[in-house]
Amino acid sequence: MGIKMGRPPCCDKSNVKRGLWTAEEDAKILAYISTHGTGNWTSVPKKADQLPGRTDNDVKNHWNTKLRKKLFEKGIDPITHKPMSQIAAYYQSIGFSKSTKSPPPPPPPPTALPKAHPNQ
């Protein structure tokens, strides 16, 4: 019997779920993220109404490669889950638009220091 080389696995991979995501899993992720945001991916599989067998990395990758893009395509902001048109209207109402130019740069500092008083 030979000696196995390498480091031990970080976790038990026997219960990891592979394959396609179900509509139910998508709904659980969307519901969790719309309430809690995307801050801590490690907690999502545990707290997103139980996603058995999905790792935090699986959930993060699925969100970034599939779900977020689907929301954009449907005209929904993936952060606020509000229609993009509503967000654009809000920004216009506060005076922000693509044509809004940034303020001019501040004037350059003076090049010469004032001369010291001769009696000092």
Side-chain angles (χ1 to χ4, degrees), residues 12 17 23 41 43-45 53-55 58 65 68 77 80 83-84 86 89 94 98 106 112 115 119-120:
D12 180 16
K17 185 175 181 181
W41 288 111
S43 67
V44 176
R54 298 294 186 181
T55 66
D58 290 335
T65 61
R68 189 170 56 122
D77 178 57
T80 62
M84 294 289 221
Q86 184 180 0
I94 62 171
K98 288 182 181 178
K115 293 183 180 180
N119 294 336
Q120 289 181 351

Side-chain angles (χ1 to χ4, degrees), residues 18-113:
R18 300 282 180 208
L20 299 175
W21 287 75
T22 65
E24 182 182 358
E25 288 175 312
D26 287 354
K28 288 178 181 181
I29 294 171
L30 287 168
Y32 179 85
I33 290 174
S34 69
T35 304
H36 304 284
T38 60
N40 183 356
W41 288 111
T42 305
S43 67
V44 176
K46 297 171 195 145
K47 293 182 179 178
D49 199 19
Q50 303 299 315
L51 291 168
R54 298 294 186 181
T55 66
D56 55 340
N57 198 45
D58 290 335
V59 174
K60 177 189 65 146
N61 289 341
H62 188 61
W63 168 256
N64 287 326
T65 61
K66 302 284 191 263
L67 297 179
R68 189 170 56 122
K69 290 178 183 179
K70 282 183 184 179
L71 291 174
F72 269 127
E73 290 169 2
K74 292 180 179 183
I76 300 171
D77 178 57
I79 305 298
T80 62
H81 292 254
K82 294 181 180 177
M84 294 289 221
S85 58
Q86 184 180 0
I87 293 169
Y90 168 74
Y91 279 118
Q92 287 177 346
S93 74
I94 62 171
F96 182 84
S97 68
K98 288 182 181 178
S99 63
T100 302
K101 294 185 179 180
S102 59
T111 55
L113 295 174

